[in-house]
Amino acid sequence: MKKSTKNSSLMKGVLILAFSFPFLFAGPAFYFWIGAPALRQGNWGWTAFIVILMFVGAGLIIRGIVAILDGLFEEE
């Protein structure tokens, strides 16, 4: 007997993962480009904003993985 998957949940997880990768790859680049120089000048606002965006990206990755695993292992 073949186990079926929930394709809608799988696609939702893949889309969430695809949306989260720019946050993770651009976050460190923006930190060194904008955040670190601003932090040296005493302006911590940009640094805090960029770090929050990196955490949002990590949270989206976790949510995407959970959605994919739900699609694979959830009983219909």
Side-chain angles (χ1 to χ4, degrees):
M1 201 163 158
K2 185 178 177 185
K3 183 171 168 88
S4 65
T5 60
K6 290 177 66 177
N7 288 335
S8 62
S9 182
L10 286 174
M11 287 308 296
K12 178 182 173 185
V14 169
L15 286 174
I16 291 172
L17 283 177
F19 185 68
S20 70
F21 281 122
F23 286 106
L24 292 178
F25 291 125
F30 281 127
Y31 176 76
F32 285 108
W33 182 38
I34 297 172
L39 191 59
R40 277 189 233 119
Q41 295 174 356
N43 185 6
W44 56 269
W46 280 110
T47 304
F49 178 69
I50 292 168
V51 168
I52 289 171
L53 285 180
M54 285 189 280
F55 279 118
V56 166
L60 285 173
I61 282 188
I62 292 169
R63 180 65 191 122
I65 291 172
V66 166
I68 289 173
L69 290 176
D70 280 346
L72 290 174
F73 295 113
E74 188 175 273
E75 295 292 326
E76 288 191 35

